[in-house]
Amino acid sequence: MSRQLLPVLLLLLLLGALSPWGQEQGAESPSEEPPEEEIPKEDGILVLSHHTLGLALREHRGLLVEFYAPWCGHCKALAPEYSKAAALLAAESMAVTLAKVDGPAQPELAEEFGVTEYPTLKFFHHGNRTHPEEYTGPREAEGIVEWLRRRVGPSARRLEDEEGAQALIDAWDLVVIGFFQDLQDEDVATFLALARDALDMTFGLTDRPQLFQQFGLTKDTVVLFKKFDEGRADFPVDEELGLDVGDLSRFLVTHSMHLVTEFNSQTSPKIFAARILNHLLLFLNQSLAAHRELLPGFGEAAPRFRGQVLFVVVDVDADNEHVLQYFGLKAEAAPTLRLVNVETTKKYAPADGDPVTAASVTAFCHAVLSGQVKPYLLSQEVPPDWDQRPVKTLVGKNFEQVAFDETKNVFVKFYAPWCTHCKEMAPAWEALAEKYKDHEDIIIAELDATANELDAFTVHGFPTLKYFPAGPGRKVLEYKSSRDLETLSKFLDNGGELPTEEPPEELAAPSPEPPTNSTVGSKEEL
Ligand SMILES: *[C@@H]1O[C@H](CO)[C@@H](O)[C@H](O)[C@H]1NC(C)=O
Ligand SMILES: *[C@@H]1O[C@H](CO)[C@@H](O)[C@H](O)[C@H]1NC(C)=O
Ligand SMILES: *[C@@H]1O[C@H](CO)[C@@H](O)[C@H](O)[C@H]1NC(C)=O
């Protein structure tokens, strides 16, 4: 208590001594009401408690409150940006104040606002304590300020004439203007709500007939103006159904992407947020002039697939090893194309030796989209010594033949090189293989499922253990019990199931969930 109170008391003393306004307040309020507390500040941020939130809400028309916890790493990362945002807001004289609440130390507030994780940010507008808006914006200073600007001010600028419209279009790379004949229409509210959150575009709004005319419009339309590619894209508002926010949002995301995007850490989040199912990747070495010469042809094919296939360039000379790996490619393979459907994760390659031209790229896209190209599966080469050790090495290319051999019982560990649970069980697997190496009909094997894909099924978690019993019918059993030598041996000895006299509690105990962090099918990994 004393730690918080001391600076407050000092402040009050100073204010009382130096400021004439202290007197005035005392004179206006009835004497029985206690003097209002001064709220402490740290780095330009109000530090609130359950005593002072009410006061802060009365005093500040816009109040963004961060609920943090002292141990929370994301909160620490946010802190400098949050302070910088406070400084920017002050410099702009924007009517928003930033505040923070130590959630664990203020359980009443955490409970009142249903805060269960940190940081959680809530925006209180016009002192309304019961209906704060959840902060969903970026976690850096400029982004925070822009998110707030679109709430305390209009999210779209009203355009009255040609000059104003042109000035807005010229000032930004991406400008969205809503042309509405009636600004009282519900569609306008929809448009403004979308503009509050689409921070990477600037919004304008007009109902002026001369502006409709200038831009060749006769009906309500949302127009995206951009300083690249086609320059402009129109989204006519459906006269019967009105403006659908989902459709408009998809339209803006799709059309604000460049026709060809260079893959890097800045563009990859956009590439995956674009909700375009097919990605066509051109792998090339940007340091080679002969490779760069392929770019115009590639770009020429892009417009007709806008919204359907996203065209991406991957520089094999940059830090893109993980992308190459995902497609099972070596840098030497460049220049080459791959197409991936990010929903099914199916990958497609053009015929060997196809040159990269506008015509060949177009033909390849059409062929994949119309189902004429079979997806390819990743596989490593079969190592020459694959069957020399007790644990046999399987890859995509020998999997079918070994696992579905009707004369053998085959037990396979599907792993990922980075997976810790896989490493933990490796000794038990080796021991198991050693124990059964003289059993003619039993094979213990492993397969790196990040580098080898199978026709028969997709491996989702690591490790996955599957048992392929001898005999016809391509039977597959998944093993889900303890991964220790004793239990694994019992399973094998009992012909692919665990004996029922085992104490049921132990059997029923769930084995740890395999981590879902699989590179196979993970969008972030591309
Ligand atoms: C707070 O906002 C909600 C929703 O807009 C409204 O229903 C409520 O009356 C407001 N409360 C106050 C005190 O203004
Ligand atoms: C790309 O080309 C440059 C220039 O020839 C070469 O030095 C570099 O090794 C190449 N990069 C890759 C990954 O092959
Ligand atoms: C997830 O996978 C990446 C590599 O793809 C690895 O660096 C990371 O440590 C993994 N995380 C977990 C929790 O296994």
Side-chain angles (χ1 to χ4, degrees), residues 418 517 519 525:
W418 42 260
N517 182 9
T519 45
E525 288 291 321

Side-chain angles (χ1 to χ4, degrees), residues 7 33 36 43 60 108 130 135 137 157 169 186 200 213 231 260 302 322 327 345 350 361 385 405-406 459 499:
E33 208 170 272
E36 289 198 325
D43 289 334
H60 302 280
E108 300 94 331
T130 53
Y135 178 82
R157 194 176 306 172
I169 293 167
E186 214 179 293
D200 49 354
Q213 202 188 353
V260 175
H322 59 298
F327 287 90
T345 73
V361 169
D385 60 347
D405 181 340
E406 295 186 357
V459 177

Side-chain angles (χ1 to χ4, degrees), residues 322 325 418-420 450 515-519 522 525:
H322 59 298
Q325 227 171 48
W418 42 260
C419 138
T420 47
T450 64
T516 48
N517 182 9
S518 99
T519 45
S522 140
E525 288 291 321

Side-chain angles (χ1 to χ4, degrees), residues 285 287-288 316-317 331-332:
N285 184 337
S287 329
L288 296 173
V316 300
D317 206 26
E332 297 82 77

